[in-house]
Amino acid sequence: MIEIRNLSIGYDGKVLLSIPSLDIPDGKLVAILGRNGTGKSTFLRTLASLQKPLSGSISYDGLATSRMTDLQRASKVAVVTTSRVRIPAFSVRDFVALGRTPYTDWIGRLSSEDVALVDRAVSLTSLGTLSDRSLDSLSDGECQKVMLARAIAQDTPCVLLDEPTSFLDYPNKRQIVSLLKKVAAGSFDEKKCTVIFSTHDIALALEYCDSILLVNEGNMEFWENSQAARNRVWRLLDSER
């Protein structure tokens, strides 16, 4: 469970979003929808403790992010940003294995369980044929899949993703969102996971997601995915044309 109380986020004292109270339950696929510049990425960065809130608190299963150690945070939350990692001579598999860093010993040795989780992440994201390729040889779409695979290998109860379907063609967009749905539901290992992602692929979000976080005029509306939620999203989009 992610619990948000009296949260204000933004930069240099300027508030982009205010969220009085919000609880996000486990095992849900949640899409963040809204216009550019409204705070979607800032919200994800704040959830991930990549930047501090202006005020308020965020807790994961009762533990406030402000009190977490780096190791606790890494075992709670995996993050996929919009950055593309291009490290020459660094293979896809080696990068995916970095997701196991919070659990390895001081020299980074992988246990048999670590290896199995890396293998699973590579398989789930259809990267098997690319596992020995260097990161700097990949397309943008392939690189995005590698970033997602690393997050899956980290095996956390929460995954945060900023525009995970960017640079992908439509069949691959559907594959990725469908995969996120299965990860959230615990379809692969019976461990449910809260998956939250920002996207401009409105139709895919409304098709697959359990819940919607709709950013509108400095506020965030939480909707269970329903006809009323879909109507609200499309009404807001129509009003922006």
Side-chain angles (χ1 to χ4, degrees):
M1 172 79 75
I2 302 175
E3 299 167 305
I4 295 171
R5 298 292 182 267
N6 301 315
L7 186 69
S8 294
I9 63 172
Y11 294 92
D12 301 323
K14 179 183 178 182
V15 177
L16 284 177
L17 272 175
S18 295
I19 307 171
S21 181
L22 175 63
D23 293 334
I24 303 175
D26 298 332
K28 299 293 184 181
L29 179 62
V30 183
I32 309 173
L33 305 178
R35 291 175 292 176
N36 287 331
T38 54
K40 300 188 301 297
S41 295
T42 304
F43 176 67
L44 284 171
R45 287 180 60 82
T46 307
L47 282 183
S49 298
L50 297 178
Q51 72 179 68
K52 293 181 179 180
L54 299 178
S55 63
S57 66
I58 302 168
S59 298
Y60 289 86
D61 297 323
L63 179 61
T65 55
S66 60
R67 297 184 177 182
M68 287 183 184
T69 65
D70 289 342
L71 184 59
Q72 286 174 320
R73 191 175 296 110
S75 66
K76 287 284 187 183
V77 185
V79 183
V80 178
T81 67
T82 55
S83 300
R84 301 289 179 265
V85 178
R86 305 290 194 186
I87 307 173
F90 204 82
S91 74
V92 167
R93 183 178 177 80
D94 286 343
F95 184 79
V96 174
L98 290 178
R100 302 305 303 160
T101 300
Y103 315 102
T104 59
D105 61 21
W106 66 278
I107 60 173
R109 285 180 298 195
L110 299 179
S111 67
S112 58
E113 180 184 0
D114 293 326
V115 171
L117 288 168
V118 171
D119 288 342
R120 185 190 71 158
V122 168
S123 175
L124 291 178
T125 50
S126 303
L127 289 170
T129 59
L130 302 177
S131 60
D132 294 326
R133 288 263 301 271
S134 64
L135 293 178
D136 60 338
S137 72
L138 303 179
S139 69
D140 285 337
E142 290 167 340
C143 190
Q144 182 73 317
K145 285 188 175 183
V146 174
M147 298 289 286
L148 174 58
R150 181 200 54 76
I152 292 174
Q154 196 170 333
D155 195 31
T156 55
C158 181
V159 179
L160 308 176
L161 310 100
D162 197 2
E163 295 286 349
T165 58
S166 296
F167 308 110
L168 299 178
D169 58 24
Y170 188 71
N172 277 303
K173 288 177 188 284
R174 292 188 66 90
Q175 180 189 31
I176 290 297
V177 179
S178 176
L179 173 59
L180 294 177
K181 176 78 169 180
K182 292 174 182 176
V183 170
S187 300
F188 303 112
D189 55 10
E190 298 182 354
K191 291 191 292 187
K192 291 186 176 182
C193 175
T194 302
V195 179
I196 305 174
F197 71 105
S198 63
T199 184
H200 291 289
D201 294 310
I202 310 299
L204 278 179
L206 296 178
E207 178 180 353
Y208 283 96
C209 287
D210 301 299
S211 307
I212 303 295
L213 292 172
L214 182 59
V215 181
N216 180 36
E217 297 182 349
N219 299 302
M220 180 172 278
E221 304 174 13
F222 178 80
W223 292 82
E224 294 294 343
N225 196 348
S226 63
Q227 188 59 54
R230 293 189 284 272
N231 290 343
R232 172 61 175 156
V233 169
W234 291 120
R235 279 199 303 270
L236 180 61
L237 291 177
D238 286 340
S239 70
E240 295 169 0
R241 293 176 182 172

mmCIF file with all atom_site columns, all heavy atoms in Angstrom, residues 111-135:
data_model
loop_
_atom_site.group_PDB
_atom_site.id
_atom_site.type_symbol
_atom_site.label_atom_id
_atom_site.label_alt_id
_atom_site.label_comp_id
_atom_site.label_asym_id
_atom_site.label_entity_id
_atom_site.label_seq_id
_atom_site.pdbx_PDB_ins_code
_atom_site.Cartn_x
_atom_site.Cartn_y
_atom_site.Cartn_z
_atom_site.occupancy
_atom_site.B_iso_or_equiv
_atom_site.pdbx_formal_charge
_atom_site.auth_seq_id
_atom_site.auth_comp_id
_atom_site.auth_asym_id
_atom_site.auth_atom_id
_atom_site.pdbx_PDB_model_num
ATOM 1   N N   . SER A 1 111 ? 23.567 -14.924 -6.727  1.00 0.00 ? 111 SER A N   1
ATOM 2   C CA  . SER A 1 111 ? 23.196 -16.253 -6.246  1.00 0.00 ? 111 SER A CA  1
ATOM 3   C C   . SER A 1 111 ? 22.398 -16.964 -7.342  1.00 0.00 ? 111 SER A C   1
ATOM 4   O O   . SER A 1 111 ? 22.039 -16.381 -8.369  1.00 0.00 ? 111 SER A O   1
ATOM 5   C CB  . SER A 1 111 ? 22.347 -16.133 -4.980  1.00 0.00 ? 111 SER A CB  1
ATOM 6   O OG  . SER A 1 111 ? 21.084 -15.535 -5.294  1.00 0.00 ? 111 SER A OG  1
ATOM 7   N N   . SER A 1 112 ? 22.091 -18.226 -7.105  1.00 0.00 ? 112 SER A N   1
ATOM 8   C CA  . SER A 1 112 ? 21.269 -18.963 -8.075  1.00 0.00 ? 112 SER A CA  1
ATOM 9   C C   . SER A 1 112 ? 19.889 -18.324 -8.211  1.00 0.00 ? 112 SER A C   1
ATOM 10  O O   . SER A 1 112 ? 19.312 -18.300 -9.308  1.00 0.00 ? 112 SER A O   1
ATOM 11  C CB  . SER A 1 112 ? 21.146 -20.432 -7.657  1.00 0.00 ? 112 SER A CB  1
ATOM 12  O OG  . SER A 1 112 ? 20.573 -20.548 -6.349  1.00 0.00 ? 112 SER A OG  1
ATOM 13  N N   . GLU A 1 113 ? 19.357 -17.793 -7.110  1.00 0.00 ? 113 GLU A N   1
ATOM 14  C CA  . GLU A 1 113 ? 18.069 -17.097 -7.171  1.00 0.00 ? 113 GLU A CA  1
ATOM 15  C C   . GLU A 1 113 ? 18.189 -15.823 -7.999  1.00 0.00 ? 113 GLU A C   1
ATOM 16  O O   . GLU A 1 113 ? 17.299 -15.514 -8.801  1.00 0.00 ? 113 GLU A O   1
ATOM 17  C CB  . GLU A 1 113 ? 17.582 -16.753 -5.763  1.00 0.00 ? 113 GLU A CB  1
ATOM 18  C CG  . GLU A 1 113 ? 16.242 -16.026 -5.751  1.00 0.00 ? 113 GLU A CG  1
ATOM 19  C CD  . GLU A 1 113 ? 15.802 -15.602 -4.359  1.00 0.00 ? 113 GLU A CD  1
ATOM 20  O OE1 . GLU A 1 113 ? 16.547 -15.876 -3.396  1.00 0.00 ? 113 GLU A OE1 1
ATOM 21  O OE2 . GLU A 1 113 ? 14.727 -15.006 -4.239  1.00 0.00 ? 113 GLU A OE2 1
ATOM 22  N N   . ASP A 1 114 ? 19.274 -15.084 -7.825  1.00 0.00 ? 114 ASP A N   1
ATOM 23  C CA  . ASP A 1 114 ? 19.494 -13.872 -8.619  1.00 0.00 ? 114 ASP A CA  1
ATOM 24  C C   . ASP A 1 114 ? 19.541 -14.208 -10.102 1.00 0.00 ? 114 ASP A C   1
ATOM 25  O O   . ASP A 1 114 ? 18.908 -13.535 -10.925 1.00 0.00 ? 114 ASP A O   1
ATOM 26  C CB  . ASP A 1 114 ? 20.812 -13.194 -8.215  1.00 0.00 ? 114 ASP A CB  1
ATOM 27  C CG  . ASP A 1 114 ? 20.794 -12.635 -6.804  1.00 0.00 ? 114 ASP A CG  1
ATOM 28  O OD1 . ASP A 1 114 ? 19.725 -12.169 -6.366  1.00 0.00 ? 114 ASP A OD1 1
ATOM 29  O OD2 . ASP A 1 114 ? 21.840 -12.683 -6.141  1.00 0.00 ? 114 ASP A OD2 1
ATOM 30  N N   . VAL A 1 115 ? 20.292 -15.238 -10.449 1.00 0.00 ? 115 VAL A N   1
ATOM 31  C CA  . VAL A 1 115 ? 20.417 -15.644 -11.849 1.00 0.00 ? 115 VAL A CA  1
ATOM 32  C C   . VAL A 1 115 ? 19.052 -16.008 -12.426 1.00 0.00 ? 115 VAL A C   1
ATOM 33  O O   . VAL A 1 115 ? 18.705 -15.641 -13.557 1.00 0.00 ? 115 VAL A O   1
ATOM 34  C CB  . VAL A 1 115 ? 21.403 -16.819 -11.984 1.00 0.00 ? 115 VAL A CB  1
ATOM 35  C CG1 . VAL A 1 115 ? 21.373 -17.396 -13.398 1.00 0.00 ? 115 VAL A CG1 1
ATOM 36  C CG2 . VAL A 1 115 ? 22.812 -16.377 -11.629 1.00 0.00 ? 115 VAL A CG2 1
ATOM 37  N N   . ALA A 1 116 ? 18.253 -16.732 -11.635 1.00 0.00 ? 116 ALA A N   1
ATOM 38  C CA  . ALA A 1 116 ? 16.919 -17.130 -12.099 1.00 0.00 ? 116 ALA A CA  1
ATOM 39  C C   . ALA A 1 116 ? 16.033 -15.913 -12.350 1.00 0.00 ? 116 ALA A C   1
ATOM 40  O O   . ALA A 1 116 ? 15.274 -15.874 -13.322 1.00 0.00 ? 116 ALA A O   1
ATOM 41  C CB  . ALA A 1 116 ? 16.281 -18.061 -11.071 1.00 0.00 ? 116 ALA A CB  1
ATOM 42  N N   . LEU A 1 117 ? 16.114 -14.909 -11.483 1.00 0.00 ? 117 LEU A N   1
ATOM 43  C CA  . LEU A 1 117 ? 15.299 -13.708 -11.650 1.00 0.00 ? 117 LEU A CA  1
ATOM 44  C C   . LEU A 1 117 ? 15.756 -12.881 -12.846 1.00 0.00 ? 117 LEU A C   1
ATOM 45  O O   . LEU A 1 117 ? 14.931 -12.287 -13.551 1.00 0.00 ? 117 LEU A O   1
ATOM 46  C CB  . LEU A 1 117 ? 15.334 -12.868 -10.376 1.00 0.00 ? 117 LEU A CB  1
ATOM 47  C CG  . LEU A 1 117 ? 14.550 -13.451 -9.202  1.00 0.00 ? 117 LEU A CG  1
ATOM 48  C CD1 . LEU A 1 117 ? 14.873 -12.706 -7.908  1.00 0.00 ? 117 LEU A CD1 1
ATOM 49  C CD2 . LEU A 1 117 ? 13.051 -13.401 -9.479  1.00 0.00 ? 117 LEU A CD2 1
ATOM 50  N N   . VAL A 1 118 ? 17.057 -12.847 -13.103 1.00 0.00 ? 118 VAL A N   1
ATOM 51  C CA  . VAL A 1 118 ? 17.568 -12.167 -14.295 1.00 0.00 ? 118 VAL A CA  1
ATOM 52  C C   . VAL A 1 118 ? 17.097 -12.899 -15.545 1.00 0.00 ? 118 VAL A C   1
ATOM 53  O O   . VAL A 1 118 ? 16.621 -12.273 -16.515 1.00 0.00 ? 118 VAL A O   1
ATOM 54  C CB  . VAL A 1 118 ? 19.104 -12.079 -14.261 1.00 0.00 ? 118 VAL A CB  1
ATOM 55  C CG1 . VAL A 1 118 ? 19.645 -11.570 -15.600 1.00 0.00 ? 118 VAL A CG1 1
ATOM 56  C CG2 . VAL A 1 118 ? 19.553 -11.165 -13.131 1.00 0.00 ? 118 VAL A CG2 1
ATOM 57  N N   . ASP A 1 119 ? 17.192 -14.232 -15.541 1.00 0.00 ? 119 ASP A N   1
ATOM 58  C CA  . ASP A 1 119 ? 16.724 -15.028 -16.682 1.00 0.00 ? 119 ASP A CA  1
ATOM 59  C C   . ASP A 1 119 ? 15.245 -14.776 -16.946 1.00 0.00 ? 119 ASP A C   1
ATOM 60  O O   . ASP A 1 119 ? 14.820 -14.630 -18.105 1.00 0.00 ? 119 ASP A O   1
ATOM 61  C CB  . ASP A 1 119 ? 16.937 -16.521 -16.418 1.00 0.00 ? 119 ASP A CB  1
ATOM 62  C CG  . ASP A 1 119 ? 18.399 -16.929 -16.488 1.00 0.00 ? 119 ASP A CG  1
ATOM 63  O OD1 . ASP A 1 119 ? 19.202 -16.164 -17.064 1.00 0.00 ? 119 ASP A OD1 1
ATOM 64  O OD2 . ASP A 1 119 ? 18.743 -18.013 -15.949 1.00 0.00 ? 119 ASP A OD2 1
ATOM 65  N N   . ARG A 1 120 ? 14.464 -14.724 -15.885 1.00 0.00 ? 120 ARG A N   1
ATOM 66  C CA  . ARG A 1 120 ? 13.025 -14.491 -16.043 1.00 0.00 ? 120 ARG A CA  1
ATOM 67  C C   . ARG A 1 120 ? 12.754 -13.121 -16.642 1.00 0.00 ? 120 ARG A C   1
ATOM 68  O O   . ARG A 1 120 ? 11.932 -12.976 -17.552 1.00 0.00 ? 120 ARG A O   1
ATOM 69  C CB  . ARG A 1 120 ? 12.324 -14.611 -14.693 1.00 0.00 ? 120 ARG A CB  1
ATOM 70  C CG  . ARG A 1 120 ? 10.810 -14.511 -14.784 1.00 0.00 ? 120 ARG A CG  1
ATOM 71  C CD  . ARG A 1 120 ? 10.161 -14.402 -13.424 1.00 0.00 ? 120 ARG A CD  1
ATOM 72  N NE  . ARG A 1 120 ? 10.414 -13.115 -12.796 1.00 0.00 ? 120 ARG A NE  1
ATOM 73  C CZ  . ARG A 1 120 ? 9.657  -12.583 -11.837 1.00 0.00 ? 120 ARG A CZ  1
ATOM 74  N NH1 . ARG A 1 120 ? 8.620  -13.243 -11.381 1.00 0.00 ? 120 ARG A NH1 1
ATOM 75  N NH2 . ARG A 1 120 ? 9.940  -11.419 -11.316 1.00 0.00 ? 120 ARG A NH2 1
ATOM 76  N N   . ALA A 1 121 ? 13.442 -12.100 -16.151 1.00 0.00 ? 121 ALA A N   1
ATOM 77  C CA  . ALA A 1 121 ? 13.227 -10.744 -16.651 1.00 0.00 ? 121 ALA A CA  1
ATOM 78  C C   . ALA A 1 121 ? 13.590 -10.632 -18.124 1.00 0.00 ? 121 ALA A C   1
ATOM 79  O O   . ALA A 1 121 ? 12.876 -9.982  -18.906 1.00 0.00 ? 121 ALA A O   1
ATOM 80  C CB  . ALA A 1 121 ? 14.043 -9.745  -15.826 1.00 0.00 ? 121 ALA A CB  1
ATOM 81  N N   . VAL A 1 122 ? 14.687 -11.264 -18.518 1.00 0.00 ? 122 VAL A N   1
ATOM 82  C CA  . VAL A 1 122 ? 15.107 -11.259 -19.924 1.00 0.00 ? 122 VAL A CA  1
ATOM 83  C C   . VAL A 1 122 ? 14.065 -11.960 -20.786 1.00 0.00 ? 122 VAL A C   1
ATOM 84  O O   . VAL A 1 122 ? 13.702 -11.492 -21.878 1.00 0.00 ? 122 VAL A O   1
ATOM 85  C CB  . VAL A 1 122 ? 16.492 -11.916 -20.076 1.00 0.00 ? 122 VAL A CB  1
ATOM 86  C CG1 . VAL A 1 122 ? 16.822 -12.177 -21.549 1.00 0.00 ? 122 VAL A CG1 1
ATOM 87  C CG2 . VAL A 1 122 ? 17.561 -11.040 -19.450 1.00 0.00 ? 122 VAL A CG2 1
ATOM 88  N N   . SER A 1 123 ? 13.557 -13.076 -20.300 1.00 0.00 ? 123 SER A N   1
ATOM 89  C CA  . SER A 1 123 ? 12.560 -13.838 -21.049 1.00 0.00 ? 123 SER A CA  1
ATOM 90  C C   . SER A 1 123 ? 11.242 -13.082 -21.173 1.00 0.00 ? 123 SER A C   1
ATOM 91  O O   . SER A 1 123 ? 10.655 -13.006 -22.261 1.00 0.00 ? 123 SER A O   1
ATOM 92  C CB  . SER A 1 123 ? 12.324 -15.194 -20.375 1.00 0.00 ? 123 SER A CB  1
ATOM 93  O OG  . SER A 1 123 ? 11.287 -15.908 -21.016 1.00 0.00 ? 123 SER A OG  1
ATOM 94  N N   . LEU A 1 124 ? 10.768 -12.504 -20.072 1.00 0.00 ? 124 LEU A N   1
ATOM 95  C CA  . LEU A 1 124 ? 9.478  -11.818 -20.080 1.00 0.00 ? 124 LEU A CA  1
ATOM 96  C C   . LEU A 1 124 ? 9.465  -10.621 -21.026 1.00 0.00 ? 124 LEU A C   1
ATOM 97  O O   . LEU A 1 124 ? 8.420  -10.290 -21.598 1.00 0.00 ? 124 LEU A O   1
ATOM 98  C CB  . LEU A 1 124 ? 9.122  -11.352 -18.669 1.00 0.00 ? 124 LEU A CB  1
ATOM 99  C CG  . LEU A 1 124 ? 8.784  -12.438 -17.648 1.00 0.00 ? 124 LEU A CG  1
ATOM 100 C CD1 . LEU A 1 124 ? 8.511  -11.819 -16.283 1.00 0.00 ? 124 LEU A CD1 1
ATOM 101 C CD2 . LEU A 1 124 ? 7.591  -13.258 -18.104 1.00 0.00 ? 124 LEU A CD2 1
ATOM 102 N N   . THR A 1 125 ? 10.600 -9.974  -21.176 1.00 0.00 ? 125 THR A N   1
ATOM 103 C CA  . THR A 1 125 ? 10.675 -8.800  -22.047 1.00 0.00 ? 125 THR A CA  1
ATOM 104 C C   . THR A 1 125 ? 11.171 -9.142  -23.454 1.00 0.00 ? 125 THR A C   1
ATOM 105 O O   . THR A 1 125 ? 11.479 -8.252  -24.249 1.00 0.00 ? 125 THR A O   1
ATOM 106 C CB  . THR A 1 125 ? 11.596 -7.735  -21.430 1.00 0.00 ? 125 THR A CB  1
ATOM 107 O OG1 . THR A 1 125 ? 12.837 -8.342  -21.043 1.00 0.00 ? 125 THR A OG1 1
ATOM 108 C CG2 . THR A 1 125 ? 10.949 -7.102  -20.212 1.00 0.00 ? 125 THR A CG2 1
ATOM 109 N N   . SER A 1 126 ? 11.244 -10.441 -23.759 1.00 0.00 ? 126 SER A N   1
ATOM 110 C CA  . SER A 1 126 ? 11.617 -10.923 -25.104 1.00 0.00 ? 126 SER A CA  1
ATOM 111 C C   . SER A 1 126 ? 12.976 -10.400 -25.548 1.00 0.00 ? 126 SER A C   1
ATOM 112 O O   . SER A 1 126 ? 13.171 -10.006 -26.705 1.00 0.00 ? 126 SER A O   1
ATOM 113 C CB  . SER A 1 126 ? 10.535 -10.514 -26.130 1.00 0.00 ? 126 SER A CB  1
ATOM 114 O OG  . SER A 1 126 ? 9.275  -11.007 -25.764 1.00 0.00 ? 126 SER A OG  1
ATOM 115 N N   . LEU A 1 127 ? 13.938 -10.430 -24.618 1.00 0.00 ? 127 LEU A N   1
ATOM 116 C CA  . LEU A 1 127 ? 15.275 -9.923  -24.910 1.00 0.00 ? 127 LEU A CA  1
ATOM 117 C C   . LEU A 1 127 ? 16.304 -11.041 -25.061 1.00 0.00 ? 127 LEU A C   1
ATOM 118 O O   . LEU A 1 127 ? 17.503 -10.768 -25.151 1.00 0.00 ? 127 LEU A O   1
ATOM 119 C CB  . LEU A 1 127 ? 15.734 -8.972  -23.798 1.00 0.00 ? 127 LEU A CB  1
ATOM 120 C CG  . LEU A 1 127 ? 15.029 -7.619  -23.723 1.00 0.00 ? 127 LEU A CG  1
ATOM 121 C CD1 . LEU A 1 127 ? 15.421 -6.896  -22.440 1.00 0.00 ? 127 LEU A CD1 1
ATOM 122 C CD2 . LEU A 1 127 ? 15.361 -6.770  -24.942 1.00 0.00 ? 127 LEU A CD2 1
ATOM 123 N N   . GLY A 1 128 ? 15.840 -12.280 -25.102 1.00 0.00 ? 128 GLY A N   1
ATOM 124 C CA  . GLY A 1 128 ? 16.768 -13.405 -25.129 1.00 0.00 ? 128 GLY A CA  1
ATOM 125 C C   . GLY A 1 128 ? 17.761 -13.335 -26.276 1.00 0.00 ? 128 GLY A C   1
ATOM 126 O O   . GLY A 1 128 ? 18.957 -13.598 -26.087 1.00 0.00 ? 128 GLY A O   1
ATOM 127 N N   . THR A 1 129 ? 17.311 -12.972 -27.466 1.00 0.00 ? 129 THR A N   1
ATOM 128 C CA  . THR A 1 129 ? 18.210 -12.918 -28.619 1.00 0.00 ? 129 THR A CA  1
ATOM 129 C C   . THR A 1 129 ? 19.158 -11.721 -28.569 1.00 0.00 ? 129 THR A C   1
ATOM 130 O O   . THR A 1 129 ? 20.114 -11.649 -29.352 1.00 0.00 ? 129 THR A O   1
ATOM 131 C CB  . THR A 1 129 ? 17.405 -12.862 -29.926 1.00 0.00 ? 129 THR A CB  1
ATOM 132 O OG1 . THR A 1 129 ? 16.566 -11.699 -29.921 1.00 0.00 ? 129 THR A OG1 1
ATOM 133 C CG2 . THR A 1 129 ? 16.544 -14.104 -30.084 1.00 0.00 ? 129 THR A CG2 1
ATOM 134 N N   . LEU A 1 130 ? 18.894 -10.783 -27.655 1.00 0.00 ? 130 LEU A N   1
ATOM 135 C CA  . LEU A 1 130 ? 19.727 -9.592  -27.550 1.00 0.00 ? 130 LEU A CA  1
ATOM 136 C C   . LEU A 1 130 ? 20.610 -9.604  -26.307 1.00 0.00 ? 130 LEU A C   1
ATOM 137 O O   . LEU A 1 130 ? 21.337 -8.648  -26.050 1.00 0.00 ? 130 LEU A O   1
ATOM 138 C CB  . LEU A 1 130 ? 18.848 -8.333  -27.495 1.00 0.00 ? 130 LEU A CB  1
ATOM 139 C CG  . LEU A 1 130 ? 17.886 -8.095  -28.652 1.00 0.00 ? 130 LEU A CG  1
ATOM 140 C CD1 . LEU A 1 130 ? 17.054 -6.841  -28.377 1.00 0.00 ? 130 LEU A CD1 1
ATOM 141 C CD2 . LEU A 1 130 ? 18.636 -7.959  -29.963 1.00 0.00 ? 130 LEU A CD2 1
ATOM 142 N N   . SER A 1 131 ? 20.564 -10.677 -25.525 1.00 0.00 ? 131 SER A N   1
ATOM 143 C CA  . SER A 1 131 ? 21.177 -10.655 -24.198 1.00 0.00 ? 131 SER A CA  1
ATOM 144 C C   . SER A 1 131 ? 22.677 -10.408 -24.234 1.00 0.00 ? 131 SER A C   1
ATOM 145 O O   . SER A 1 131 ? 23.248 -9.880  -23.267 1.00 0.00 ? 131 SER A O   1
ATOM 146 C CB  . SER A 1 131 ? 20.878 -11.955 -23.449 1.00 0.00 ? 131 SER A CB  1
ATOM 147 O OG  . SER A 1 131 ? 21.388 -13.067 -24.168 1.00 0.00 ? 131 SER A OG  1
ATOM 148 N N   . ASP A 1 132 ? 23.358 -10.766 -25.332 1.00 0.00 ? 132 ASP A N   1
ATOM 149 C CA  . ASP A 1 132 ? 24.802 -10.553 -25.415 1.00 0.00 ? 132 ASP A CA  1
ATOM 150 C C   . ASP A 1 132 ? 25.166 -9.279  -26.170 1.00 0.00 ? 132 ASP A C   1
ATOM 151 O O   . ASP A 1 132 ? 26.356 -8.953  -26.283 1.00 0.00 ? 132 ASP A O   1
ATOM 152 C CB  . ASP A 1 132 ? 25.473 -11.753 -26.094 1.00 0.00 ? 132 ASP A CB  1
ATOM 153 C CG  . ASP A 1 132 ? 25.371 -13.023 -25.266 1.00 0.00 ? 132 ASP A CG  1
ATOM 154 O OD1 . ASP A 1 132 ? 25.411 -12.911 -24.018 1.00 0.00 ? 132 ASP A OD1 1
ATOM 155 O OD2 . ASP A 1 132 ? 25.236 -14.111 -25.854 1.00 0.00 ? 132 ASP A OD2 1
ATOM 156 N N   . ARG A 1 133 ? 24.182 -8.557  -26.659 1.00 0.00 ? 133 ARG A N   1
ATOM 157 C CA  . ARG A 1 133 ? 24.451 -7.313  -27.386 1.00 0.00 ? 133 ARG A CA  1
ATOM 158 C C   . ARG A 1 133 ? 24.869 -6.210  -26.415 1.00 0.00 ? 133 ARG A C   1
ATOM 159 O O   . ARG A 1 133 ? 24.435 -6.176  -25.260 1.00 0.00 ? 133 ARG A O   1
ATOM 160 C CB  . ARG A 1 133 ? 23.200 -6.862  -28.134 1.00 0.00 ? 133 ARG A CB  1
ATOM 161 C CG  . ARG A 1 133 ? 22.837 -7.711  -29.338 1.00 0.00 ? 133 ARG A CG  1
ATOM 162 C CD  . ARG A 1 133 ? 23.327 -7.128  -30.632 1.00 0.00 ? 133 ARG A CD  1
ATOM 163 N NE  . ARG A 1 133 ? 22.777 -5.803  -30.855 1.00 0.00 ? 133 ARG A NE  1
ATOM 164 C CZ  . ARG A 1 133 ? 21.615 -5.564  -31.481 1.00 0.00 ? 133 ARG A CZ  1
ATOM 165 N NH1 . ARG A 1 133 ? 20.861 -6.582  -31.883 1.00 0.00 ? 133 ARG A NH1 1
ATOM 166 N NH2 . ARG A 1 133 ? 21.210 -4.328  -31.687 1.00 0.00 ? 133 ARG A NH2 1
ATOM 167 N N   . SER A 1 134 ? 25.696 -5.278  -26.877 1.00 0.00 ? 134 SER A N   1
ATOM 168 C CA  . SER A 1 134 ? 26.082 -4.141  -26.044 1.00 0.00 ? 134 SER A CA  1
ATOM 169 C C   . SER A 1 134 ? 24.986 -3.085  -26.069 1.00 0.00 ? 134 SER A C   1
ATOM 170 O O   . SER A 1 134 ? 24.250 -2.948  -27.064 1.00 0.00 ? 134 SER A O   1
ATOM 171 C CB  . SER A 1 134 ? 27.394 -3.537  -26.529 1.00 0.00 ? 134 SER A CB  1
ATOM 172 O OG  . SER A 1 134 ? 27.255 -3.008  -27.833 1.00 0.00 ? 134 SER A OG  1
ATOM 173 N N   . LEU A 1 135 ? 24.859 -2.350  -24.986 1.00 0.00 ? 135 LEU A N   1
ATOM 174 C CA  . LEU A 1 135 ? 23.779 -1.377  -24.858 1.00 0.00 ? 135 LEU A CA  1
ATOM 175 C C   . LEU A 1 135 ? 23.840 -0.301  -25.931 1.00 0.00 ? 135 LEU A C   1
ATOM 176 O O   . LEU A 1 135 ? 22.800 0.184   -26.398 1.00 0.00 ? 135 LEU A O   1
ATOM 177 C CB  . LEU A 1 135 ? 23.822 -0.720  -23.475 1.00 0.00 ? 135 LEU A CB  1
ATOM 178 C CG  . LEU A 1 135 ? 23.522 -1.624  -22.286 1.00 0.00 ? 135 LEU A CG  1
ATOM 179 C CD1 . LEU A 1 135 ? 23.651 -0.839  -20.992 1.00 0.00 ? 135 LEU A CD1 1
ATOM 180 C CD2 . LEU A 1 135 ? 22.130 -2.232  -22.386 1.00 0.00 ? 135 LEU A CD2 1
#
